[in-house]
Amino acid sequence: MTKLRRTISFLLIASLMLLVCSCSKPGNNIGPTNNAGMAAETEQPIQPTAVAGNVPFVDSEGYVEFGVNDDLSKLPQMEAVNVKIVVSSKNLDAFKTAVLPDGCEMLDLVFAPEGTDNSLDMSDLTAPDSLITINITVSNCGKLVMPDAKNTGTLNVSGNFDELDASGLSALDLLHIDGDSCGKLTLPPSVTNIITSCALDISMLSGLSALERLTISGSTDLSPLSEISSVKYLTLCRGGWDLAPLAESGVISLNINQSEGIDIADVNKLTKLETLQLSDNVNGDISPILAHPSLKRLLIYVADTENNQRSILSLAFGTPINKENISLLDGDIDCAISVDDLRAFINNGGELYFLRDITRL
C-alpha cells in the first residue's frame, strides 16, 4: 500500500507540472496552490458595513473587496477571511500603511500603477498572523516589496516586475511567478518550491539551501544548479535546453516538457537521475538513455488517440508497467518511441508510465 500511495502521489505532482507548463499565456489571476490558502467556510454570510459610497463591497463568496475609491481604514473592522484590494495612484498611500483584518487568510491584490510611480512597497502594511496566501496581479511593475508576514507560505505573482523582495515572508514555501519575464529576486531561505512561466537567472537562487523543486519556462543557463545541490526535482518547459551542466547537480527527477533542440543523450550525464518525464515526440533517439544505471522510472506523455484510450491510457491511474505486466505493450499503441526500446527499459528493471498529453487534446 505504501508503494502505491507513493506512486499515486508522484503522478499527481507530474500531472500538475504538465498543466503548469502547458499554459501558453499567463493568466490574469492565479488561484491558491494549496489547501491552506483556500477560503474558509463561514456559518453566517458576511454582511457589508454600508450600502453606498466609498465603502467596501462583500461578494457572494465572502471576500471583502475594496476598490480604488473605497475607504481602506475600514479594513480592520471587517470580519472576512479573505480580502481583495485594487490599488492605484488614488489609494496607494493609504494602502501602504493599511491594517488587514484579524483572521484574514488570503490577500488578493491587483496593482495598476499609473505614471512613473510603478513600485509597490508593502513593508509597512500590517498583516495578521493568519495570513497564509498572497496573490498579486501586476502590470509592468517596478519594485515589489512584500510585507512582514511570518506565516505566509504561498506567494503567487501574475504579471511582469523589475524586482521582487519577499524577504519579509519568513515562512514562504512556494513562489509561483506567472509572467513573460522575471526580474531580480530576493527570497527568504525557507523557499522549497519555485514555479515560473518564464526564464530566470538561476544564480539568484544560490542562497536557497532548502530549495527542492524548480520549474522554469524558456531557455536559461542551468550551470548554477551545480552549486545548488538541494534542487532534486527539475521541470524544463519550452525552449531549447543544454542539459550538460546538470552533470554536477543533485537532480534526481527531470521533466522535459514541450522543449526542442535538446540533446537527449546528455541525460546520461545526470548520474543521480532516478525519474525522467518526456513526451513521446521528443526530438532525438532516446535508446541510449534507457540503460542509464540509476534511472528507475520513465514517464511518457502520449497523444489521446483511440488506440491509446483502448490500451495504455485505460489503465488504472498510477499503474506502472513492469516485468510482471509487460504484455500490456503488446496492444495497439500510438507512441513515437520504439516499443522495443521501452521493453528493453522494463527488462532492465525500470518502471514505465504512460500519461495523457493534455497539450495535444
Side-chain angles (χ1 to χ4, degrees):
M1 259 330 259
T2 301
K3 182 178 180 181
L4 178 58
R5 285 195 297 268
R6 286 200 303 265
T7 300
I8 293 175
S9 176
F10 170 79
L11 288 174
L12 284 172
I13 294 173
S15 298
L16 174 61
M17 291 299 98
L18 176 66
L19 181 60
V20 169
C21 294
S22 66
C23 298
S24 59
K25 296 182 180 180
N28 292 328
N29 295 290
I30 304 174
T33 53
N34 58 20
N35 289 335
M38 297 298 288
E41 295 183 358
T42 54
E43 294 182 359
Q44 300 293 330
I46 301 171
Q47 298 298 322
T49 56
V51 293
N54 298 336
V55 295
F57 169 79
V58 181
D59 68 16
S60 60
E61 297 179 350
Y63 282 81
V64 175
E65 183 171 337
F66 283 77
V68 295
N69 296 315
D70 291 329
D71 184 0
L72 292 176
S73 67
K74 294 183 177 294
L75 265 172
Q77 306 169 21
M78 308 308 298
E79 297 180 356
V81 174
N82 303 303
V83 176
K84 295 180 180 179
I85 304 177
V86 177
V87 178
S88 75
S89 58
K90 293 182 179 180
N91 61 349
L92 179 60
D93 291 338
F95 173 72
K96 287 181 178 179
T97 57
V99 178
L100 298 180
D102 290 337
C104 176
E105 294 183 357
M106 183 186 301
L107 171 63
D108 280 7
L109 179 66
V110 177
F111 178 47
E114 300 174 359
T116 58
D117 189 5
N118 67 339
S119 295
L120 180 60
D121 186 342
M122 293 183 281
S123 56
D124 291 329
L125 180 72
T126 302
D129 292 346
S130 56
L131 186 63
I132 296 173
T133 302
I134 299 177
N135 302 319
I136 302 179
T137 300
V138 298
S139 176
N140 298 319
C141 180
K143 186 173 183 179
L144 198 57
V145 181
M146 293 298 103
D148 290 333
K150 65 181 182 180
N151 291 321
T152 299
T154 300
L155 173 60
N156 298 312
V157 182
S158 177
N160 301 329
F161 56 86
D162 295 332
E163 183 176 353
L164 170 64
D165 183 352
S167 56
L169 306 180
S170 57
L172 185 64
D173 178 63
L174 169 64
L175 171 63
H176 186 179
I177 300 173
D178 188 8
D180 298 326
S181 62
C182 178
K184 180 182 177 182
L185 300 178
T186 303
L187 304 175
S190 58
V191 176
T192 68
N193 190 355
I194 296 177
I195 301 173
T196 74
S197 64
C198 54
L200 58 78
D201 182 357
I202 297 176
S203 63
M204 294 188 296
L205 313 178
S206 59
L208 303 181
S209 58
L211 184 63
E212 290 185 345
R213 300 179 181 275
L214 179 61
T215 298
I216 315 173
S217 295
S219 184
T220 191
D221 180 16
L222 298 175
S223 58
L225 284 176
S226 63
E227 304 296 328
I228 313 177
S229 58
S230 60
V231 175
K232 306 296 183 185
Y233 307 90
L234 178 63
T235 298
L236 305 176
C237 304
R238 296 189 289 272
W241 299 92
D242 179 8
L243 303 180
L246 296 178
E248 303 299 323
S249 73
V251 173
I252 64 172
S253 177
L254 176 63
N255 183 352
I256 302 172
N257 194 287
Q258 292 182 278
S259 298
E260 299 178 353
I262 292 178
D263 186 351
I264 294 298
D266 282 341
V267 170
N268 281 331
K269 299 177 181 179
L270 282 71
T271 58
K272 300 176 183 178
L273 190 67
E274 298 179 0
T275 300
L276 176 64
Q277 297 173 237
L278 74 169
S279 173
D280 71 323
N281 60 9
V282 67
N283 293 334
D285 179 14
I286 76 163
S287 58
I289 70 175
L290 297 179
H292 190 293
S294 64
L295 189 61
K296 301 176 182 177
R297 288 171 294 272
L298 181 60
L299 287 82
I300 300 177
Y301 295 106
V302 295
D304 191 26
T305 64
E306 291 184 7
N307 286 339
N308 289 341
Q309 288 176 8
R310 287 193 299 265
S311 55
I312 51 179
L313 291 181
S314 64
L315 297 174
F317 184 76
T319 300
I321 301 177
N322 50 37
K323 289 182 179 180
E324 296 179 359
N325 59 0
I326 195 172
S327 60
L328 290 170
L329 294 180
D330 295 339
D332 195 3
I333 298 173
D334 295 326
C335 183
I337 298 174
S338 166
V339 175
D340 289 338
D341 286 342
L342 299 179
R343 285 195 184 95
F345 172 71
I346 293 173
N347 287 325
N348 196 40
E351 288 186 336
L352 177 65
Y353 299 81
F354 287 101
L355 300 176
R356 180 175 287 104
D357 189 345
I358 62 174
T359 68
R360 286 186 271 175
L361 292 179

